[in-house]
Each structure stands twice: as C-alpha cells, then as structure tokens.
Amino acid sequence: MRTAAMMPSWKTLCCVLLVASMGAPGWGTAVQISWSGRVTTGFTTTFTCSSSCFPNCTYTWNFRGRVISGNTLTWTPDGQDDTVELQCTVHSPKTGTSSSTTTIVEVRNRMSVRTSPPNTVPSLNQSLNLVCHDLSSSDPKGPTDLVWYKDGQKVPLRENMQLLQNNVTLHFDSLLPSDAGFYHCEAYLPTLQIRVHSLGFLLSFDPWNVSISGPDVVFPGRMSQFTCLTSCTLNVECTVRWQFRGGFPTGTYFSVNANRLKWTPSIPGTFQNFTCVAENRAVGRSAEDTKTVEVRGVPVSGTEAVQLSGLSALVFYSFLILAVNVFTF
C-alpha cells in the first residue's frame, strides 16, 4: 500500500519541469546560434542566439575580443577574416546559472585580385593588368576610394605603372623583377560605411610546374601509387585536384589523399588517364599535367568494381560530381 508521502505531488512535478526548462549546464539548457545564408565580405549578416531558458534571461556575445549584449548580433565582414569565432552565453537571473555555446563561422570573400585577361601568366618585360574583381555586388552605390597594396604597403606608382578605370585596374606597361609580390585591393563601401579587403594575388615570374610521378604500366591486382608534384606550395599558393577525363578508374581499390592517388586495376588491355590540376581559384591561375597508364596482364578473379569505404566513398562520389561538371575559375 502506497502512502501519500511516497507519491510525488503535481506541484512538485511542475517545479521540476520549470527548473529543467530554465536550466543551466547540467540541467539541459539548449543554446543555439543561427543565421541565414552564407557570411560574405561586404554583406551584413544577423546572428541570433536562442535557448530554452526563460523567463527574463540575458544574452551576451563574445566576438572578436568584444562583449556585446542582446540575443542578436549584426556584423559586416571586411575581408580580413577567413573565419571568426562566435560565443553566446545565456544567463538565468532566477537560478543564477549560465550556459554557452561556441561556433566557428566561415567567411566567403567574393572580392579578389585577378589578371585580365584571365589566366594570364606574368612574364618579365611584358604588360599585365591586375583587376580588383567583383566590387559591384557589394554596394549598390558602387565602391569608392579604391587603394592597391603590395606586401601590405600602398603600391608606389612607378613609371611602368598606371591606374585605370577609377583605380579598378592596376596596369603594368612592362613588368620588372621588382614588381613581384603579393597584391590586394581595398575599397570603401559608402552604403555600409566600411572598407573591405580583397583576396590577394601573388605576382611571380616562376611558372607553376606540374607533373605526375608513377608507373606507365600497371598490372591487375597490384596496387600502384601516383603523386602529383607541383612547384607551387600546396594549400598556400595552390590546391590540387584529380580529374579522370577518359572515365573513372575501374579496379578493386582506389583512394585519393591530397596529391597522392592509389589504384589497384582489374581489367587488362585498357588505358587510364590521370590528370592533376594545381590551381588558385581566387586569382584565376592554374596548371595541369596528364598521365596515361596502360593496364597489362590477365584479369584477376572476383569483382571489377571499385571497393570503397569510409572517406574513400566520399571521395568517390565527389569525383562523380566533378566528372560531370565543367570547371571554371
């Protein structure tokens, strides 16, 4: 027989539910940061912090070394950050407890420095145009007060240089060795009243060399490795990707890890093309090399399908998507 003292009262249950709802760390308070669309240089984004805390809870942001109150935060990136860290803290005055969450936000920059015409390779004693690209989409009034920088300092105009089209184009009549360096542009957006910085362009007179190392002849059931060798610094000046313009490799094993490719073929009497592309999309520069590999020998028993698992499967589907798209820079 149960006594009244052993039975939880409805009033007690309500109190427990209320405390759990208001919550604190350990009580299940859910804090979330949300926003709409991609965070882009020159465009304003509003971040919202929400939680299950109530009533009269306070919200505080920790953002780029500043503390900001309120459950919303509005920010217009100026191009100097690739990523930013957002932290929102929720405080319950009734319980005296707080809960917080942190998220890393990626910032896309549409503004960049490119050669004109695109993919022009700088050469000594030749002319060159550098263009501050995609300014118009950031401000309907148009950018003003455009300034060019080289290696972090304002570009000193010399006899072989001119500014054209309201400073949008930096023109070199004849490139000199001293013109090599890292260029970026900066413009003022009058509507937003901020200055925005572009992605940079490394002006270099050393052409990118790309080559693929590995065997010219492979055999069914035997793993072979191919490496994309580049003269540009990977993940600094350029990134690499593989293409299979004659068809995806068929075999019992296939994997890609950055600039290295491993493959175990299964069908003799066939040829496979591997193309490695080194590129910097921000500046519209690329170079590539293609290697044709012959498969010799007799078929191996078992399946001829590529066996993939885990990360390799993700790479496989990425390549299928790449195979049906036309790449533009």
Side-chain angles (χ1 to χ4, degrees):
M1 178 176 181
R2 296 182 180 180
T3 64
M6 297 174 61
M7 297 289 291
S9 68
W10 177 252
K11 181 177 180 181
T12 301
L13 287 175
C14 289
C15 291
V16 171
L17 289 174
L18 179 59
V19 172
S21 297
M22 295 183 62
W27 284 101
T29 297
V31 182
Q32 181 178 359
I33 298 174
S34 60
W35 64 93
S36 177
R38 295 193 62 176
V39 181
T40 304
T41 295
F43 293 84
T44 300
T45 299
T46 298
F47 302 91
T48 301
C49 185
S50 56
S51 74
S52 55
C53 180
F54 74 95
N56 302 322
C57 298
T58 59
Y59 293 80
T60 304
W61 298 88
N62 191 325
F63 175 61
R64 303 179 79 195
R66 295 178 295 157
V67 176
I68 303 169
S69 299
N71 71 321
T72 61
L73 170 68
T74 300
W75 180 51
T76 304
D78 63 3
Q80 298 191 73
D81 300 285
D82 296 326
T83 61
V84 291
E85 180 179 293
L86 286 174
Q87 182 185 67
C88 177
T89 300
V90 183
H91 177 74
S92 170
K94 186 169 184 178
T95 64
T97 56
S98 300
S99 184
S100 65
T101 187
T102 301
T103 187
I104 303 296
V105 178
E106 292 186 1
V107 182
R108 177 178 62 174
N109 194 344
R110 294 179 177 176
M111 188 171 157
S112 63
V113 173
R114 299 186 181 183
T115 57
S116 180
N119 301 324
T120 300
V121 177
S123 300
L124 287 172
N125 303 318
Q126 300 295 317
S127 63
L128 179 72
N129 287 327
L130 294 182
V131 178
C132 196
H133 180 73
D134 204 8
L135 290 169
S136 58
S137 62
S138 299
D139 196 318
K141 292 184 178 180
T144 61
D145 190 22
L146 195 148
V147 180
W148 285 88
Y149 290 85
K150 174 191 173 186
D151 299 327
Q153 303 295 322
K154 287 186 178 181
V155 172
L157 290 179
R158 296 194 297 268
E159 293 182 357
N160 69 322
M161 303 165 66
Q162 301 178 56
L163 289 174
L164 308 175
Q165 299 175 322
N166 294 325
N167 297 353
V168 171
T169 299
L170 176 61
H171 173 76
F172 298 85
D173 293 324
S174 180
L175 286 170
L176 304 173
S178 58
D179 292 324
F182 190 78
Y183 289 80
H184 82 272
C185 54
E186 176 189 289
Y188 179 73
L189 303 183
T191 300
L192 299 173
Q193 296 186 355
I194 64 166
R195 300 195 69 84
V196 292
H197 302 256
S198 73
L199 297 173
F201 177 86
L202 180 62
L203 199 165
S204 172
F205 301 110
D206 299 323
W208 289 354
N209 294 315
V210 179
S211 62
I212 300 175
S213 68
D216 296 325
V217 177
V218 297
F219 300 90
R222 184 184 303 174
M223 180 180 293
S224 297
Q225 177 172 298
F226 302 87
T227 304
C228 182
L229 304 174
T230 65
S231 60
C232 53
T233 305
L234 292 180
N235 300 320
V236 177
E237 294 178 85
C238 64
T239 58
V240 300
R241 56 185 171 88
W242 294 86
Q243 290 186 350
F244 312 99
R245 295 167 182 169
F248 197 82
T250 300
T252 56
Y253 181 82
F254 179 84
S255 71
V256 169
N257 183 9
N259 65 326
R260 291 182 173 84
L261 182 155
K262 294 181 179 181
W263 177 45
T264 304
S266 60
I267 304 178
T270 58
F271 292 85
Q272 177 64 49
N273 289 330
F274 295 118
T275 299
C276 176
V277 181
E279 64 183 350
N280 186 325
R281 292 192 177 186
V283 301
R285 188 176 180 186
S286 67
E288 65 178 54
D289 183 46
T290 298
K291 185 180 186 67
T292 300
V293 179
E294 180 184 0
V295 183
R296 292 181 187 172
V298 297
V300 294
S301 59
T303 179
E304 294 180 350
V306 178
Q307 298 175 352
L308 301 172
S309 61
L311 180 60
S312 294
L314 179 60
V315 173
F316 171 76
Y317 288 115
S318 298
F319 282 136
L320 289 182
I321 295 173
L322 292 174
V324 296
N325 283 279
V326 177
F327 290 90
T328 57
F329 304 100

